[in-house]
Amino acid sequence: MNIVDLTFEPGKAPGGFFNTQRKDVYLKSPGVEYTGIIYEFTVSSMAGTYIDFPGHIAETGDGQDAFNYPLEKLYRRRAVVIRLDRQNDSGGVTAAELANACQSDIRPGDALIVNALGHCQFNEINERSVFFEQDAVEWIIGQRVELLVSDIYESKALLGVFYRLFQAGISTVCFPVNLNKLTVPEVKLTVMPLPVRGVTQISCRVVAEF
């Protein structure tokens, strides 16, 4: 079995921050003494790789959050992998590109992974210089997937990519890495956010197996 970690280190991604403060606690009893270490965190919901539930946009909220989102939709989900090799500043990805590159049948309720940038990571291109065209978003919605993991999403012009995906009930994972290591047309995908009540955007760990 191959296991690929798709998680970008918290605090390294643009737009997010992750600060850690260590505290040493000296503990002693008649039989033992040692120093325990605890940590306090200051963290944004966009630190590293993170998941957006539809409620990340207020107008598309469906009552689901990191606490009550069904675990079975995040654990070892069947995910179809689409691989492209788009270059920096190459513009919009179309529905035809996605359909032509898709090598496995997408079933309703599946997850979808789009590796649009080939061996390039999301932070190695000019931000939002490669993005989904509107027909690509409609194609994704038409596949009736429930979860999308992609190294591209919105354009600088704000075409409403996230708004339309969330309207369709599709949750999104942003800033994944190592997508180029997924060399098969489908994998088992696990997304692991902390179950925090009321939160609709949160850092997570993402793992694929095949």
Side-chain angles (χ1 to χ4, degrees):
M1 179 189 299
N2 292 289
I3 296 178
V4 180
D5 192 346
L6 307 179
T7 313
F8 194 63
E9 182 180 353
K12 301 296 185 182
F17 59 86
F18 190 95
N19 301 318
T20 305
Q21 182 176 355
R22 167 177 162 163
K23 291 189 175 182
D24 293 353
V25 180
Y26 178 66
L27 299 168
K28 182 178 181 180
S29 71
V32 67
E33 60 181 284
Y34 56 86
T35 303
I37 302 171
I38 62 174
Y39 301 90
E40 294 182 351
F41 303 103
T42 304
V43 58
S44 78
S45 59
M46 297 172 66
T49 302
Y50 62 91
I51 185 168
D52 289 326
F53 299 101
H56 171 54
I57 292 179
E59 290 82 357
T60 59
D62 58 5
Q64 296 191 101
D65 56 31
F67 181 81
N68 64 20
Y69 193 80
L71 187 60
E72 62 269 21
K73 292 186 176 184
L74 298 175
Y75 180 70
R76 302 192 78 236
R77 294 287 306 275
R78 180 180 184 265
V80 171
V81 181
I82 295 177
R83 291 183 297 277
L84 306 174
D85 192 20
R86 283 302 208 93
Q87 304 301 305
N88 185 33
D89 292 319
S90 63
V93 169
T94 66
E97 286 180 83
L98 295 178
N100 290 337
C102 188
Q103 299 180 4
S104 190
D105 291 334
I106 303 174
R107 305 167 190 164
D110 276 348
L112 177 63
I113 299 173
V114 177
N115 172 210
L117 303 177
H119 284 76
C120 190
Q121 305 289 8
F122 74 91
N123 59 336
E124 296 174 338
I125 66 166
N126 292 327
E127 187 176 4
R128 297 189 175 190
S129 69
V130 185
F131 53 89
F132 289 126
E133 292 282 9
Q134 294 187 32
D135 67 338
V137 176
E138 293 305 321
W139 185 86
I140 292 168
I141 292 171
Q143 306 311 304
R144 297 169 61 190
V145 299
E146 295 180 337
L147 181 64
L148 174 63
V149 179
S150 179
D151 49 11
I152 64 166
Y153 282 102
E154 185 62 90
S155 74
K156 294 177 182 178
L158 194 62
L159 300 176
V161 169
F162 287 107
Y163 185 76
R164 290 156 68 197
L165 291 171
F166 296 159
Q167 276 186 317
I170 299 172
S171 297
T172 59
V173 172
C174 302
F175 296 163
V177 293
N178 298 326
L179 296 182
N180 61 293
K181 295 182 180 179
L182 305 182
T183 57
V184 294
E186 59 184 74
V187 299
K188 293 291 187 182
L189 179 73
T190 297
V191 181
M192 296 175 279
L194 286 175
V196 182
R197 193 183 300 273
V199 167
T200 57
Q201 181 187 68
I202 191 168
S203 299
C204 59
R205 191 159 201 171
V206 184
V207 176
E209 56 181 290
F210 59 95

